[in-house]
Every structure is written in C-alpha cells, then in structure tokens.
Amino acid sequence: MTNNYFQLFIDTGGTFTDCIGIDSEGNQYRQKVLSSSALRGTIVEILSATTCRISDSWNLQRDIFKGFSFRLLGSEDREATIASFDVSQKLLTLEAPYFNS
C-alpha cells in the first residue's frame, strides 16, 4: 500500500492568499487566489445562454467547480450555479440561462 498525501501551506493576506502543496513525491504546486475566495477569469466567447469559453490562470487538472456560484464583476446581484467546467476546452457551463446569447 502506498502512502499518497499532500502537505498544504496557506498564507492568507488582505488581498491574496498564497497556497503551496507538496505531494508525497516532493512535487510542489503553487497557487495565488483572492482572499475573498473568488477566482477571476475572462470570458472570451459566449457559446449559449448557459455556456462560455474562458481564459484563466487557475492551473486546474480537473473540474472542481460543480455547485459553486458564478457572477460577473459588477453584477453582484445576479448569480448562477456552475454545472461543470471542462478544463481542457475551458468551457464553463451554468445550470440555468445566464448570458444573452
């Protein structure tokens, strides 16, 4: 039986939180996120009322966003729930119509 594990080191600041993960083989993973728990990306193409293609710097290996909230900057009163995020295609799909396609 192998012992697979991650050591996590987190430094939360006023604006950004720095995260470092070290796996059981010594590989290091670094990520800087907003301390508000928000991730920022840029919509590069709206494909339908529920799907858009984005540009991001998240370095994700798999979809972790199902069930998370989505909102456009400046639209704090308008929120949607994420259905899925296709990491390889950079496609964000929401559970209900959100975009004017």
Side-chain angles (χ1 to χ4, degrees):
M1 183 167 131
T2 32
N3 276 337
N4 294 325
Y5 65 88
F6 263 91
Q7 290 180 298
L8 297 175
F9 303 89
I10 300 170
D11 178 22
T12 302
T15 304
F16 289 101
T17 296
D18 295 299
C19 308
I20 299 172
I22 302 174
D23 66 21
S24 54
E25 296 181 9
N27 299 308
Q28 286 190 10
Y29 306 87
R30 295 176 180 266
Q31 188 69 42
K32 182 180 285 263
V33 297
L34 290 170
S35 294
S36 66
S37 300
L39 292 175
R40 289 189 179 180
T42 302
I43 296 174
V44 294
E45 181 180 15
I46 295 174
L47 301 170
S48 73
T50 59
T51 305
C52 65
R53 186 177 317 278
I54 65 165
S55 170
D56 67 68
S57 60
W58 305 332
N59 302 317
L60 294 179
Q61 302 299 310
R62 61 186 173 91
D63 179 10
I64 60 169
F65 294 131
K66 181 176 175 57
F68 278 56
S69 296
F70 169 87
R71 67 176 176 242
L72 295 172
L73 286 176
S75 301
E76 284 72 23
D77 59 327
R78 205 164 156 241
E79 194 169 282
T81 301
I82 297 173
S84 65
F85 178 62
D86 182 324
V87 176
S88 63
Q89 300 284 327
K90 303 289 186 181
L91 295 178
L92 183 71
T93 302
L94 305 174
E95 289 183 354
Y98 187 89
F99 305 108
N100 296 327
S101 54

